[in-house]
Amino acid sequence: MPKHIRINGVEVKPGQQMTINIPVARLHTHTKMNMPLQVIRGRRKGPGLFVSAAVHGDEILGVEILRRLIRHKPLKRMCGTLIAVPVVNVFGFIEHSRYLPDRRDLNRFFPGSEKGSLASRLASIFMTEVVDNCTHGIDLHTGSNHRINLPQVRAHLDDARTRDLAVAFGAPVVINANMRDGSLRQAVMEKGIPMLLYEAGEALRFDEAAIRTGFKGILSVMRRIGMLPEIPAPLKTIDPLIARSTVWLRASKSGILRTRILLGDAVRQHDRVGVISDLFGDNEEELFSPVSGVIIGRLDIPLVHEGDAVFHIACFEEEKITEHPLDGYEEAAAGIR
């Protein structure tokens, strides 16, 4: 990292901590909209890490993770630079919406363009002002559309540096996730920067276990890349399950879904995971898991239409999920230093 970095024309020197508001656009009322971020620079040189949240405006769990991270006292001994961006999609955040005012998904418009749509311009600003000042990245997300996710890291595991950080994060499940065209992760990885995507919880809600897992995971990554000193007595951790693929189980008909399957539960191929019926309980139709694996996401309301994504399953061999229970991940997330 350079001795001095400049964001929105503001120079941040080693040893400084500064909040910077980056102009994004104006509302119809001519009111300025800014993307706020905080830059924390250690006195000693080291890597540059950005941690971003609310790329989807209703995914607010990462905002709380970043609040706790910024206030974490050991950061005073940090090497390098931390750029914390709690709300990237400020428009959606205000409106409790996943999208921008033009209904575009910001995470499909990276790396963006200075002369494109609002989404494209916001993406370009983020790449120029944040990503270009960093050597590593972590993006925080939650489930959407009434879905909830088990804490998990998604990453390009064929890249050795990225895989190392994904395992170090300490989430219960690590998934080798394909790149999505226009995503922040794709744009960052194309610059040769290792990046993780943390998924946990649900939109517009806080989940304490998911928050703690994310907070502890970021600190673990910072230690792995040399931004924070190692802990003499390591905290309790779990070895994540690593999945090369996932599948969605979809509703076979419209109706009311009844299930007792929880996040983190292991299922075997052909296990019954739910029943869909009409309002009176007639015309029941059972749902069966198409694979063996672990439930990493599920629909959080019982009302379904035919084709709705109901359960997200990370695929594993039966022996692996039997030998590797996930019951202890909340306990492992509780201790943070």
Side-chain angles (χ1 to χ4, degrees):
M1 290 295 295
K3 184 175 181 180
H4 303 295
I5 64 172
R6 188 179 296 273
I7 297 177
N8 192 37
V10 179
E11 187 173 342
V12 187
K13 300 178 181 179
Q16 289 186 324
Q17 180 170 346
M18 191 176 297
T19 298
I20 300 174
N21 290 306
I22 300 177
V24 175
R26 292 179 181 268
L27 299 178
H28 304 301
T29 59
H30 208 62
T31 303
K32 289 182 179 179
M33 290 291 287
N34 295 319
M35 180 176 64
L37 57 83
Q38 190 155 136
V39 184
I40 304 174
R41 300 211 67 190
R43 296 187 180 278
R44 292 172 292 172
K45 65 180 180 180
L49 171 69
F50 77 82
V51 185
S52 55
V55 167
H56 296 130
D58 59 352
E59 298 182 5
I60 66 172
L61 184 138
V63 178
E64 174 62 12
I65 293 175
L66 280 173
R67 184 194 69 82
R68 298 186 189 188
L69 179 66
I70 291 168
R71 298 172 65 86
H72 194 50
K73 290 182 180 179
L75 293 189
K76 296 183 183 297
R77 305 192 303 271
M78 185 185 76
C79 301
T81 302
L82 172 67
I83 302 179
V85 191
V87 181
V88 180
N89 181 358
V90 289
F91 297 92
F93 185 75
I94 290 171
E95 295 294 330
H96 302 175
S97 170
R98 177 182 179 88
Y99 303 105
L100 288 160
D102 57 5
R103 297 297 295 169
R104 284 183 166 91
D105 182 338
L106 176 59
N107 210 27
R108 299 294 179 269
F109 283 85
F110 288 93
S113 167
E114 294 181 359
K115 298 181 179 180
S117 65
L118 175 60
S120 191
R121 294 180 187 215
L122 178 53
S124 176
I125 290 170
F126 187 87
M127 294 295 294
T128 301
E129 300 289 356
V130 177
V131 175
D132 286 349
N133 282 304
C134 294
T135 60
H136 300 77
I138 301 174
D139 192 26
L140 308 176
H141 286 261
T142 75
S144 64
N145 300 325
H146 303 294
R147 292 179 178 85
I148 184 169
N149 286 330
L150 180 78
Q152 60 197 260
V153 166
R154 301 180 185 179
H156 178 51
L157 300 184
D158 292 333
D159 178 77
R161 294 180 303 162
T162 304
R163 181 188 178 94
D164 180 61
L165 298 182
V167 173
F169 193 98
V173 175
V174 172
I175 299 168
N176 185 52
N178 294 328
M179 300 290 187
R180 287 184 177 269
D181 290 341
S183 68
L184 173 60
R185 187 163 65 93
Q186 181 189 55
V188 172
M189 292 291 289
E190 286 179 352
K191 285 180 170 287
I193 297 174
M195 179 176 163
L196 307 179
L197 189 151
Y198 175 62
E199 280 272 4
E202 58 185 317
L204 298 174
R205 299 289 186 274
F206 283 173
D207 180 303
E208 186 61 26
I211 290 169
R212 288 184 176 183
T213 301
F215 178 27
K216 184 179 178 183
I218 295 168
L219 295 178
S220 296
V221 169
M222 293 178 73
R223 293 189 186 96
R224 178 68 90 183
I225 63 178
M227 294 181 70
L228 290 174
E230 292 291 340
I231 298 174
L235 296 171
K236 181 176 180 180
T237 59
I238 63 169
D239 295 325
L241 284 167
I242 299 177
R244 301 297 299 189
S245 63
T246 68
V247 298
W248 276 103
L249 174 59
R250 297 184 178 275
S252 54
K253 60 181 290 185
S254 298
I256 297 177
L257 172 69
R258 304 191 310 280
T259 176
R260 293 183 178 179
I261 296 293
L262 303 176
L263 290 178
D265 280 355
V267 294
R268 292 172 174 77
Q269 189 175 21
H270 307 309
D271 278 357
R272 190 181 80 158
V273 295
V275 176
I276 301 175
S277 66
D278 63 18
L279 295 174
F280 304 103
D282 297 325
N283 303 312
E284 289 189 345
E285 191 162 314
E286 296 180 322
L287 293 179
F288 298 93
S289 176
V291 296
S292 295
V294 170
I295 303 295
I296 59 170
R298 64 175 173 82
L299 188 67
D300 213 26
I301 58 174
L303 310 179
V304 297
H305 289 102
E306 182 178 345
D308 281 353
V310 177
F311 295 108
H312 197 191
I313 307 170
C315 304
F316 299 104
E317 297 176 0
E318 290 187 21
E319 295 78 9
K320 183 174 291 188
I321 58 177
T322 301
E323 296 171 358
H324 195 303
L326 297 180
D327 300 338
Y329 91 85
E330 293 189 17
E331 181 183 349
I336 298 172
R337 284 187 296 200

